[in-house]
Amino acid sequence: MNTTYWSWDTFFEALPIVLQGLGITVGLTITCYLFALLFGFVWTFLRRVPNKAFNWIITWVMEFIRSTPPLVQLFFIYYAFPMIPGIGLTLSPFTSAVIGLGVHFSTYIGEIYRSGIESVDKGQWEASRALNFTTVDKWKKIILPQAVPPTIPMLGNYFIIMFKEVPLASTISVAGIMFMANSYGAQNWSYLEPLTIVGIIFLLLSYPSAILIKKLEVKMNTRFDKNAIVKSDKKGAIM
Protein backbone atom coordinates (compact mmCIF):
# COMPACT_ATOMS: atom_id res chain seq x y z
CA MET A 1 0.00 0.00 0.00
CA ASN A 2 1.77 3.09 -1.28
CA THR A 3 0.01 6.36 -0.50
CA THR A 4 1.16 9.93 -0.81
CA TYR A 5 -1.93 11.39 0.86
CA TRP A 6 -3.95 10.91 4.02
CA SER A 7 -5.97 7.71 4.17
CA TRP A 8 -8.45 6.94 6.94
CA ASP A 9 -8.35 3.29 5.93
CA THR A 10 -4.62 3.25 6.59
CA PHE A 11 -5.13 5.14 9.84
CA PHE A 12 -7.58 2.61 11.26
CA GLU A 13 -5.52 -0.27 9.94
CA ALA A 14 -2.38 1.03 11.64
CA LEU A 15 -4.12 2.03 14.90
CA PRO A 16 -4.35 -1.42 16.53
CA ILE A 17 -0.82 -2.26 15.39
CA VAL A 18 0.66 0.88 16.93
CA LEU A 19 -1.37 0.37 20.11
CA GLN A 20 0.31 -3.01 20.58
CA GLY A 21 3.41 -1.10 21.65
CA LEU A 22 1.60 1.16 24.15
CA GLY A 23 2.12 -1.21 27.07
CA ILE A 24 5.86 -1.39 26.34
CA THR A 25 6.13 2.39 26.08
CA VAL A 26 4.28 3.04 29.34
CA GLY A 27 6.06 0.19 31.14
CA LEU A 28 9.47 1.41 29.95
CA THR A 29 8.68 4.97 31.06
CA ILE A 30 7.67 3.88 34.56
CA THR A 31 10.63 1.51 34.91
CA CYS A 32 13.15 4.11 33.71
CA TYR A 33 11.64 6.72 35.99
CA LEU A 34 11.76 4.50 39.09
CA PHE A 35 15.37 3.62 38.24
CA ALA A 36 16.20 7.33 37.87
CA LEU A 37 14.50 8.19 41.17
CA LEU A 38 16.54 5.59 43.04
CA PHE A 39 19.84 6.25 41.26
CA GLY A 40 19.36 9.97 41.77
CA PHE A 41 19.87 9.38 45.50
CA VAL A 42 23.16 7.63 44.69
CA TRP A 43 24.50 10.72 42.89
CA THR A 44 23.25 12.96 45.71
CA PHE A 45 24.99 11.04 48.47
CA LEU A 46 28.16 10.51 46.43
CA ARG A 47 28.44 14.27 46.00
CA ARG A 48 28.18 14.71 49.76
CA VAL A 49 31.30 12.63 50.41
CA PRO A 50 33.74 15.04 52.14
CA ASN A 51 36.59 14.55 49.71
CA LYS A 52 37.32 17.23 47.12
CA ALA A 53 39.01 14.93 44.62
CA PHE A 54 36.23 12.34 44.80
CA ASN A 55 33.58 15.06 44.62
CA TRP A 56 35.26 16.52 41.52
CA ILE A 57 35.25 13.12 39.80
CA ILE A 58 31.56 12.51 40.57
CA THR A 59 30.65 16.01 39.36
CA TRP A 60 32.62 15.49 36.13
CA VAL A 61 30.94 12.12 35.49
CA MET A 62 27.50 13.66 35.99
CA GLU A 63 28.33 16.53 33.64
CA PHE A 64 29.64 14.09 31.04
CA ILE A 65 26.42 12.05 31.19
CA ARG A 66 24.25 15.16 30.95
CA SER A 67 26.30 16.58 28.08
CA THR A 68 26.13 13.39 26.02
CA PRO A 69 22.98 12.76 23.95
CA PRO A 70 20.89 9.92 25.42
CA LEU A 71 20.67 8.36 21.96
CA VAL A 72 24.47 7.97 21.88
CA GLN A 73 24.37 6.44 25.37
CA LEU A 74 21.70 3.94 24.29
CA PHE A 75 23.77 2.92 21.26
CA PHE A 76 26.89 2.55 23.38
CA ILE A 77 25.18 0.36 25.99
CA TYR A 78 23.39 -1.85 23.47
CA TYR A 79 25.97 -2.11 20.68
CA ALA A 80 29.36 -1.31 22.27
CA PHE A 81 29.10 -3.09 25.63
CA PRO A 82 29.28 -6.57 24.02
CA MET A 83 32.49 -5.55 22.24
CA ILE A 84 34.40 -4.31 25.30
CA PRO A 85 37.33 -6.70 25.93
CA GLY A 86 37.05 -8.60 29.17
CA ILE A 87 33.44 -7.59 29.72
CA GLY A 88 31.39 -8.57 26.70
CA LEU A 89 28.16 -7.59 28.43
CA THR A 90 25.14 -8.22 26.23
CA LEU A 91 21.88 -6.68 27.39
CA SER A 92 18.35 -6.92 26.04
CA PRO A 93 16.93 -3.84 24.30
CA PHE A 94 14.55 -3.15 27.22
CA THR A 95 17.30 -3.46 29.85
CA SER A 96 19.64 -1.28 27.79
CA ALA A 97 16.93 1.39 27.55
CA VAL A 98 16.24 1.29 31.29
CA ILE A 99 19.92 1.69 32.14
CA GLY A 100 20.63 4.30 29.46
CA LEU A 101 17.64 6.56 30.04
CA GLY A 102 17.51 5.84 33.77
CA VAL A 103 21.12 6.83 34.39
CA HIS A 104 20.86 9.87 32.10
CA PHE A 105 17.83 11.31 33.88
CA SER A 106 19.11 10.31 37.32
CA THR A 107 21.80 12.98 36.99
CA TYR A 108 19.11 15.66 36.68
CA ILE A 109 16.99 14.14 39.45
CA GLY A 110 20.07 14.00 41.67
CA GLU A 111 20.40 17.77 41.31
CA ILE A 112 16.74 18.17 42.25
CA TYR A 113 17.32 16.11 45.39
CA ARG A 114 20.40 18.18 46.21
CA SER A 115 18.45 21.43 45.95
CA GLY A 116 15.76 19.99 48.20
CA ILE A 117 18.29 18.87 50.80
CA GLU A 118 20.05 22.23 50.77
CA SER A 119 16.69 23.95 51.35
CA VAL A 120 16.32 22.22 54.74
CA ASP A 121 16.95 24.72 57.51
CA LYS A 122 20.31 24.38 59.25
CA GLY A 123 18.49 24.23 62.57
CA GLN A 124 17.04 20.87 61.55
CA TRP A 125 20.52 19.44 61.03
CA GLU A 126 21.62 20.80 64.39
CA ALA A 127 18.51 19.37 66.07
CA SER A 128 19.26 15.90 64.70
CA ARG A 129 22.78 16.09 66.14
CA ALA A 130 21.48 17.38 69.46
CA LEU A 131 19.07 14.44 69.67
CA ASN A 132 21.91 11.99 68.89
CA PHE A 133 20.09 10.56 65.87
CA THR A 134 21.91 7.94 63.86
CA THR A 135 22.72 8.84 60.26
CA VAL A 136 19.86 6.67 58.99
CA ASP A 137 17.34 8.14 61.43
CA LYS A 138 18.51 11.67 60.67
CA TRP A 139 17.85 11.25 56.95
CA LYS A 140 14.75 9.11 57.33
CA LYS A 141 12.94 11.10 60.04
CA ILE A 142 14.13 14.68 59.62
CA ILE A 143 15.93 15.56 56.38
CA LEU A 144 14.16 13.61 53.61
CA PRO A 145 10.59 14.27 54.84
CA GLN A 146 11.35 17.98 54.52
CA ALA A 147 13.56 17.86 51.42
CA VAL A 148 11.47 15.65 49.12
CA PRO A 149 7.97 17.30 49.14
CA PRO A 150 9.12 20.63 47.60
CA THR A 151 10.76 18.71 44.73
CA ILE A 152 7.65 16.74 43.75
CA PRO A 153 6.49 19.18 41.02
CA MET A 154 9.95 19.18 39.40
CA LEU A 155 10.11 15.40 39.61
CA GLY A 156 6.71 15.24 37.93
CA ASN A 157 7.94 17.41 35.09
CA TYR A 158 10.85 15.07 34.51
CA PHE A 159 8.44 12.13 34.35
CA ILE A 160 6.68 13.82 31.43
CA ILE A 161 10.00 14.64 29.77
CA MET A 162 11.13 11.04 30.13
CA PHE A 163 7.87 9.80 28.61
CA LYS A 164 8.60 11.92 25.54
CA GLU A 165 12.22 10.67 25.36
CA VAL A 166 11.31 6.97 25.58
CA PRO A 167 10.70 6.72 21.77
CA LEU A 168 14.50 6.90 21.42
CA ALA A 169 14.48 3.29 22.60
CA SER A 170 12.92 2.29 19.27
CA THR A 171 16.38 2.77 17.72
CA ILE A 172 17.61 -0.28 19.66
CA SER A 173 14.49 -2.34 18.81
CA VAL A 174 12.36 -1.75 21.90
CA ALA A 175 8.89 -2.52 20.55
CA GLY A 176 7.08 0.57 21.79
CA ILE A 177 4.60 2.63 19.83
CA MET A 178 7.34 4.40 17.84
CA PHE A 179 8.91 1.10 16.84
CA MET A 180 5.53 -0.32 15.81
CA ALA A 181 4.73 2.81 13.80
CA ASN A 182 8.06 2.67 11.96
CA SER A 183 7.64 -1.04 11.31
CA TYR A 184 4.18 -0.48 9.84
CA GLY A 185 5.45 2.40 7.73
CA ALA A 186 8.36 0.35 6.39
CA GLN A 187 6.13 -2.58 5.48
CA ASN A 188 3.38 -0.51 3.85
CA TRP A 189 5.33 2.51 2.59
CA SER A 190 3.03 4.77 4.55
CA TYR A 191 4.45 6.68 7.53
CA LEU A 192 2.02 9.61 7.79
CA GLU A 193 -0.84 7.80 9.49
CA PRO A 194 1.09 5.64 11.99
CA LEU A 195 3.32 8.54 13.06
CA THR A 196 0.25 10.72 13.46
CA ILE A 197 -1.20 8.06 15.75
CA VAL A 198 2.00 8.18 17.82
CA GLY A 199 1.69 11.96 18.10
CA ILE A 200 -1.95 11.71 19.18
CA ILE A 201 -1.13 9.09 21.82
CA PHE A 202 1.63 11.23 23.30
CA LEU A 203 -0.65 14.26 23.30
CA LEU A 204 -3.49 12.39 25.00
CA LEU A 205 -1.17 11.07 27.70
CA SER A 206 1.23 13.99 28.16
CA TYR A 207 -1.17 16.94 28.20
CA PRO A 208 -3.42 15.73 31.05
CA SER A 209 -0.29 14.75 32.99
CA ALA A 210 1.15 18.24 32.48
CA ILE A 211 -2.09 19.81 33.78
CA LEU A 212 -2.03 17.51 36.81
CA ILE A 213 1.59 18.39 37.56
CA LYS A 214 0.79 22.11 37.24
CA LYS A 215 -2.08 21.80 39.73
CA LEU A 216 0.16 19.83 42.07
CA GLU A 217 2.84 22.53 41.80
CA VAL A 218 0.32 25.25 42.68
CA LYS A 219 -0.97 23.19 45.60
CA MET A 220 2.53 22.52 46.92
CA ASN A 221 3.54 26.18 46.58
CA THR A 222 0.40 27.28 48.42
CA ARG A 223 1.08 24.75 51.15
CA PHE A 224 4.66 25.90 51.70
CA ASP A 225 3.66 29.56 51.55
CA LYS A 226 1.16 28.91 54.35
CA ASN A 227 3.82 27.09 56.35
CA ALA A 228 6.18 30.03 55.91
CA ILE A 229 3.48 32.43 57.14
CA VAL A 230 2.80 30.26 60.18
CA LYS A 231 6.51 30.12 61.03
CA SER A 232 6.82 33.86 60.56
CA ASP A 233 3.83 34.48 62.86
CA LYS A 234 5.32 32.21 65.49
CA LYS A 235 8.63 34.06 65.35
CA GLY A 236 6.79 37.36 65.62
CA ALA A 237 4.82 36.09 68.62
CA ILE A 238 8.02 34.95 70.31
CA MET A 239 9.69 38.27 69.68
Side-chain angles (χ1 to χ4, degrees), residues 24 28 93-95 97 166 169-180:
I24 297 295
L28 179 60
F94 190 91
T95 302
V166 157
S170 65
T171 59
I172 56 172
S173 303
V174 176
I177 55 176
M178 191 67 181
F179 180 85
M180 301 303 292

Side-chain angles (χ1 to χ4, degrees), residues 12-51:
F12 288 111
E13 181 183 74
L15 181 60
I17 296 175
V18 174
L19 287 176
Q20 290 177 10
L22 182 58
I24 297 295
T25 297
V26 174
L28 179 60
T29 302
I30 294 174
T31 306
C32 288
Y33 188 67
L34 292 176
F35 183 95
L37 288 178
L38 293 175
F39 210 78
F41 280 113
V42 174
W43 293 120
T44 301
F45 288 114
L46 286 177
R47 290 196 64 179
R48 295 186 65 84
V49 173
N51 183 292

Side-chain angles (χ1 to χ4, degrees), residues 5-239:
Y5 53 88
W6 179 268
S7 170
W8 284 107
D9 290 337
T10 302
F11 179 89
F12 288 111
E13 181 183 74
L15 181 60
I17 296 175
V18 174
L19 287 176
Q20 290 177 10
L22 182 58
I24 297 295
T25 297
V26 174
L28 179 60
T29 302
I30 294 174
T31 306
C32 288
Y33 188 67
L34 292 176
F35 183 95
L37 288 178
L38 293 175
F39 210 78
F41 280 113
V42 174
W43 293 120
T44 301
F45 288 114
L46 286 177
R47 290 196 64 179
R48 295 186 65 84
V49 173
N51 183 292
K52 290 185 178 180
F54 182 80
N55 193 272
W56 182 87
I57 293 173
I58 295 299
T59 301
W60 185 87
V61 171
M62 292 178 68
E63 288 296 330
F64 176 79
I65 293 173
R66 281 198 292 259
S67 301
T68 309
L71 181 60
V72 174
Q73 295 171 8
L74 288 176
F75 272 46
F76 186 86
I77 293 171
Y78 186 66
Y79 292 110
F81 268 17
M83 300 179 182
I84 298 177
I87 299 179
L89 182 60
T90 301
L91 301 172
S92 68
F94 190 91
T95 302
S96 298
V98 170
I99 295 175
L101 294 175
V103 171
H104 183 85
F105 279 91
S106 70
T107 58
Y108 295 98
I109 289 176
E111 287 299 306
I112 294 175
Y113 289 155
R114 185 174 67 86
S115 66
I117 291 171
E118 291 180 352
S119 69
V120 177
D121 190 85
K122 292 182 179 180
Q124 300 297 314
W125 297 86
E126 295 171 357
S128 65
R129 287 193 293 268
L131 293 171
N132 292 322
F133 276 15
T134 64
T135 301
V136 174
D137 285 340
K138 176 180 69 177
W139 284 95
K140 181 180 178 181
K141 297 180 179 180
I142 297 182
I143 306 304
L144 291 181
Q146 297 181 70
V148 172
T151 67
I152 290 177
M154 290 183 287
L155 294 176
N157 288 330
Y158 270 104
F159 178 76
I160 297 174
I161 294 173
M162 178 174 287
F163 177 60
K164 292 186 288 187
E165 292 291 336
V166 157
L168 291 174
S170 65
T171 59
I172 56 172
S173 303
V174 176
I177 55 176
M178 191 67 181
F179 180 85
M180 301 303 292
N182 282 329
S183 297
Y184 179 90
Q187 293 173 6
N188 297 276
W189 291 94
S190 181
Y191 288 92
L192 176 60
E193 294 82 1
L195 292 179
T196 300
I197 293 171
V198 171
I200 292 173
I201 292 174
F202 275 100
L203 176 63
L204 292 177
L205 294 179
S206 297
Y207 187 67
S209 300
I211 294 177
L212 180 62
I213 294 299
K214 185 64 177 178
K215 289 183 177 180
L216 179 61
E217 184 176 1
V218 172
K219 184 177 180 180
M220 296 297 294
N221 288 338
T222 302
R223 176 184 173 185
F224 284 103
D225 286 344
K226 289 181 178 179
N227 290 339
I229 293 173
V230 171
K231 290 180 180 179
S232 177
D233 290 343
K234 288 182 178 179
K235 289 180 179 179
I238 292 173
M239 293 175 65

